[in-house]
Amino acid sequence: MEHEIKALVNRYQGGGYLEIHLETREFTTIEYSGSELETLTRSELFVGNIRLFEKGFWYFTSFMDRDFDKHYDRILKMLLVGEAREGAINSYQKINTQIKTPFQIDSRLIPLEEKYSLIKKYNEIILNSKNIQTSRVIYKDIARKKYFANSEGSYIEQEKLFTGVSCAAVARSGMNIQTASYSHAGHGGYELVTGKEAEVEKTVSQALEMLNAPQVEGGRYNVILDNQMSGVFAHEAFGHLSEADFIYENPEMQDMMKLGREFGREIVNIVDDGTIEGLAGYVPFDDEGVNGRRTELIKSGKLNARLHSRETAIKMGETVTGNARALNPFFAPQVRMTNTFIDNGITPVSELFEACGNGIYACGFIGGMTSLEQFTFTPRCAYIVKNGKIVSPVRDTVLSGNVFETIKNITHTGNDLKHFGTLGGCGKGGQNGLTVTTGGPHILVENVLVGGKK
């Protein structure tokens, strides 16, 4: 593959920028819905694309065959119908490298029957529990080999193995339905999915606990977000606002997201870091041949940087950050997050609860939405906190508010940073399920609007 892709790039004699992506995939999927086995597949896929920037425009074609010359000729013909306009992209250093993500147990070597038995066992743990109405259990492994070459002379091979599992338990009593879920995935092998019986059992317990809990009283509370919930807030409520393709096309957001703007206290630091090996959002090189890096989006409470592709960086006069990503070569890259998290603080979690006094403890995440700076999130479970102690569960808890006001109201960040990768992923521009990681420490936020019964 290396010879073919380099030969094709070397044919290009234009004055623009050309890049070629080829990708092979081997993947296994097993899905249970209740007692029904819905999917049991092992498949292979080849897909590629050629992307050309010339005359101020991007030209793009994707394909599933290996007649590379035909597709190269096709994209050159596209130039004949395009009128030139002003436009540029950032150049980048020449890179030649091969990368392989490490793992302990190669998921590809595990018999399909063994994978099936594991997922069936997890599903039975859920369904054999009283008051559980149904379940959803999914296993996936994806072995990807990516080839990239461009007209700057770069050639990059990346071999990645991604493995994960997700489990959901749905409990019901009359019209009261409660769901709890667990998912764990990342760039690694079969070791990431075995031995999860305790986590599956905890998922069942959480669904049943919420089923029997009273509804929360609506109002404003001091709220402690656990590691997962704080990470979702960083990703959904703030991370998307930091994606530069969204900012430079939106005058309102340009005004909101001015570098140097003070968003919160000095304890607040939000980071996107594609270099953390093993996490679901590990991106040693993005889909424009730019190396991944740590980008401090909020530093000591102030807006410090945004996430960029080659194009957005030059349009905004900033540095590329290695955040041009595509779900697969069927799609052109967009500015996307990698591993996004609230960085570690210094407050022990016990002291954070003491500082909360009376309030709500929100754990995990089952859904939500954002609209510009407004957000609404539903935690997986929640608890009343009195005098710094967790006292009782409450259900149907919904957190909502303004992103910027909420960041200002973060008064404590814990010292227990954790990262969470799942089988699900991030969606944007029709590319849904891109692998990312969220995370953070426990954080304390004052004056959060909590929806519930009146």
Side-chain angles (χ1 to χ4, degrees):
M1 204 82 74
E2 179 179 355
H3 173 75
E4 292 94 332
I5 195 172
K6 285 183 176 180
L8 205 60
V9 168
N10 289 337
R11 281 183 58 187
Y12 178 65
Q13 300 298 319
Y17 168 81
L18 181 84
E19 63 183 28
I20 300 173
H21 301 257
L22 303 177
E23 182 177 316
T24 62
R25 287 191 177 196
E26 303 174 49
F27 50 94
T28 301
T29 304
I30 305 171
E31 298 182 55
Y32 261 103
S33 182
S35 58
E36 297 295 321
L37 177 64
E38 290 193 339
T39 306
L40 181 65
T41 62
R42 176 176 284 167
S43 306
E44 295 183 3
L45 176 70
F46 171 81
V47 62
N49 73 49
I50 303 175
R51 206 164 70 118
L52 173 64
F53 188 86
E54 197 169 317
K55 296 182 178 181
F57 290 94
W58 282 108
Y59 300 86
F60 177 86
T61 184
S62 63
F63 46 86
M64 296 182 68
D65 60 65
R66 299 178 187 245
D67 191 348
F68 304 143
D69 289 334
K70 176 182 71 176
H71 303 297
Y72 176 82
D73 291 340
R74 177 190 298 158
I75 204 162
L76 291 186
K77 288 178 182 177
M78 294 179 186
L79 288 172
L80 301 177
V81 299
E83 296 183 3
R85 69 172 183 181
E86 290 187 7
I89 63 170
N90 266 349
S91 59
Y92 198 68
Q93 61 185 322
K94 177 180 177 180
I95 296 172
N96 281 276
T97 190
Q98 296 181 344
I99 290 177
K100 184 175 182 180
T101 57
F103 52 81
Q104 296 177 28
I105 305 172
D106 192 336
S107 305
R108 293 166 292 187
L109 302 180
I110 303 300
L112 188 59
E113 295 81 1
E114 184 174 334
K115 298 173 183 177
Y116 164 72
S117 296
L118 179 70
I119 300 311
K120 182 181 179 183
K121 177 171 64 173
Y122 291 163
N123 193 53
E124 289 173 346
I125 290 174
I126 299 173
L127 292 180
N128 290 339
S129 303
K130 187 178 179 181
N131 289 329
I132 293 296
Q133 182 185 39
T134 191
S135 63
R136 184 75 173 168
V137 181
I138 304 172
Y139 167 90
K140 288 185 180 180
D141 61 55
I142 307 171
R144 307 169 70 189
K145 193 160 186 180
K146 302 175 64 174
Y147 305 83
F148 171 90
N150 66 18
S151 54
E152 295 172 336
S154 288
Y155 176 77
I156 301 169
E157 282 188 21
Q158 299 183 70
E159 189 171 348
K160 292 183 171 184
L161 180 60
F162 182 86
T163 310
V165 65
S166 69
C167 304
V170 181
R172 179 170 183 169
S173 178
M175 298 301 293
N176 179 16
I177 300 173
Q178 299 295 319
T179 300
S181 61
Y182 166 79
S183 186
H184 182 63
H187 284 101
Y190 199 65
E191 70 278 358
L192 296 179
V193 300
T194 58
K196 301 301 180 184
E197 290 83 0
E199 286 82 357
V200 178
E201 290 170 356
K202 183 179 179 181
T203 300
V204 173
S205 297
Q206 287 176 337
L208 295 175
E209 183 179 47
M210 290 300 108
L211 190 69
N212 298 316
Q215 286 184 290
V216 67
E217 295 281 349
R220 289 195 172 271
Y221 293 84
N222 292 340
V223 175
I224 296 172
L225 305 183
D226 78 342
N227 309 84
Q228 189 172 13
M229 194 68 197
S230 70
V232 168
F233 175 79
H235 175 100
E236 294 289 351
F238 185 78
H240 282 295
L241 296 181
S242 300
E243 293 169 338
D245 54 350
F246 178 61
I247 298 170
Y248 82 76
E249 294 175 344
N250 189 322
E252 182 181 358
M253 289 309 304
Q254 291 174 21
D255 185 60
M256 287 183 185
M257 298 291 286
K258 288 183 178 178
L259 293 179
R261 176 179 173 179
E262 187 172 307
F263 280 159
R265 306 183 186 205
E266 288 192 358
I267 59 169
V268 178
N269 298 279
I270 298 180
V271 175
D272 184 89
D273 189 349
T275 69
I276 306 175
E277 196 173 81
L279 296 188
Y282 175 50
V283 181
F285 292 93
D286 76 359
D287 289 315
E288 293 184 326
V290 177
N291 61 290
R293 64 196 66 188
R294 176 184 171 95
T295 303
E296 296 175 321
L297 302 174
I298 292 182
K299 186 176 182 179
S300 300
K302 295 181 180 180
L303 185 62
N304 182 68
R306 304 66 120 80
L307 305 178
H308 281 292
S309 65
R310 289 175 181 251
E311 184 178 13
T312 63
I314 203 165
K315 284 185 174 180
M316 300 184 71
E318 298 174 15
T319 303
V320 291
T321 59
N323 287 89
R325 303 182 63 197
L327 183 65
N328 57 54
F330 283 123
F331 300 96
Q334 300 174 315
V335 182
R336 307 295 296 271
M337 285 172 275
T338 60
N339 305 306
T340 311
F341 54 94
I342 296 176
D343 209 0
N344 228 357
I346 61 172
T347 304
V349 176
S350 60
E351 293 182 16
L352 189 143
F353 272 86
E354 291 174 8
C356 175
N358 299 327
I360 299 286
Y361 179 34
C363 304
F365 176 75
I366 60 171
M369 61 176 292
T370 59
S371 178
L372 291 179
E373 73 270 31
Q374 301 299 321
F375 70 88
T376 300
F377 294 149
T378 302
R380 183 180 65 246
C381 53
Y383 304 87
I384 295 293
V385 177
K386 288 187 177 180
N387 298 318
K389 305 292 184 183
I390 299 171
V391 295
S392 59
V394 285
R395 63 178 170 87
D396 302 337
T397 306
V398 179
L399 313 180
S400 60
N402 178 281
V403 173
F404 305 122
E405 290 178 2
T406 303
I407 293 174
K408 283 183 180 178
N409 289 336
I410 297 175
T411 62
H412 295 75
T413 53
N415 61 356
D416 63 332
L417 169 65
K418 293 180 182 178
H419 298 283
F420 296 87
T422 70
L423 271 191
C426 180
K428 178 180 176 180
Q431 298 188 42
N432 299 316
L434 185 73
T435 56
V436 296
T437 304
T438 61
H442 280 73
I443 63 173
L444 173 59
V445 189
E446 294 182 343
N447 198 33
V448 178
L449 180 61
V450 177
K453 70 177 183 178
K454 297 182 179 180

